[in-house]
Amino acid sequence: MFIQTEETPNPATLKFLPGRMVMERGTADFDAADKAVRSPLAESLFRIDGVARIFLGSDFITVTKTDQKDWPVLKPQILGLIMEHFSSNRPVILSDDSASAGADEDDEIVAQIKELLDTRVRPAVAQDGGDIIFHSFEDGVVYLHMQGSCSGCPSSTATLKMGIENMLRHYVPEVVEVRPV
């Protein structure tokens, strides 16, 4: 098994591409070991000293490290663990609680915002090892939850303001601002 790695805009985060499906539906974001009980893969990765966050995407795993550890030390351990996990055919997620929110009846503006995020923003953000999830729309403000390499990334504020906010304001005149949750 050959696992590729890619740097992300967040220097504390690396994207690991195992060359196979990781999550069939949705994504999963774990910011602590005790929250990873539904993922044998994430639980194993958190056993590595220096791993701070795990994000599971459709075909990638994003790992965020603590400041105390360096990638040359962590990367071989993470690669070995991911390889061992997929070689043993263990599940990535035990119960399929999708990270996506349920499809409540959205009003037209929210539906338009979600469509733009799903078609124009999320694919680009996934290339950098992250995800952006719609949280709410209140009084002209779109609230988004940043996951994976986007969470804590130095350039995430610029991405929100210069990219996503400008695009949403262009297509949806009711949007006046975008803020992280």
Side-chain angles (χ1 to χ4, degrees):
M1 173 179 216
F2 179 71
I3 302 171
Q4 294 179 318
T5 58
E6 291 180 2
E7 291 183 0
T8 70
N10 184 347
T13 304
L14 270 182
K15 182 178 174 182
F16 295 82
L17 299 138
R20 61 176 59 184
M21 176 87 49
V22 175
M23 294 283 290
E24 286 188 41
R25 286 184 278 139
T27 60
D29 191 23
F30 305 103
D31 61 0
D34 61 336
K35 295 179 182 174
V37 293
R38 67 185 186 107
S39 172
L41 175 58
E43 268 190 317
S44 296
L45 288 169
F46 272 117
R47 288 188 198 114
I48 298 172
D49 185 34
V51 170
R53 181 179 212 115
I54 309 293
F55 178 76
L56 305 173
S58 60
D59 63 348
F60 65 90
I61 301 147
T62 303
V63 179
T64 304
K65 69 175 189 69
T66 61
D67 290 337
Q68 292 76 30
K69 296 292 180 177
D70 292 321
W71 283 120
V73 173
L74 289 174
K75 189 175 168 181
Q77 295 175 60
I78 294 167
L79 285 167
L81 206 143
I82 292 171
M83 189 177 305
E84 185 259 312
H85 179 86
F86 282 110
S87 296
S88 68
N89 290 319
R90 291 189 318 226
V92 173
I93 295 286
L94 295 175
S95 63
D96 192 28
D97 299 335
S98 180
S100 304
D104 297 332
E105 288 191 23
D106 294 326
D107 67 13
E108 192 175 316
I109 294 169
V110 170
Q112 193 175 3
I113 292 168
K114 285 182 175 181
E115 175 69 17
L116 286 166
L117 290 172
D118 286 345
T119 59
R120 295 180 181 249
V121 177
R122 292 181 78 199
V125 172
Q127 287 184 325
D128 285 337
D131 199 5
I132 295 182
I133 307 295
F134 175 84
H135 185 268
S136 61
F137 176 66
E138 301 167 15
D139 302 320
V141 180
V142 177
Y143 294 92
L144 301 175
H145 180 66
M146 309 198 59
Q147 297 181 318
S149 66
C150 296
S151 179
C153 176
S155 63
S156 65
T157 302
T159 300
L160 275 179
K161 291 295 182 188
M162 304 302 267
I164 299 168
E165 183 177 291
N166 288 342
M167 183 203 55
L168 289 176
R169 288 174 60 187
H170 175 77
Y171 289 106
V172 186
E174 294 84 357
V175 173
V176 294
E177 187 180 2
V178 173
R179 293 184 193 161
V181 177

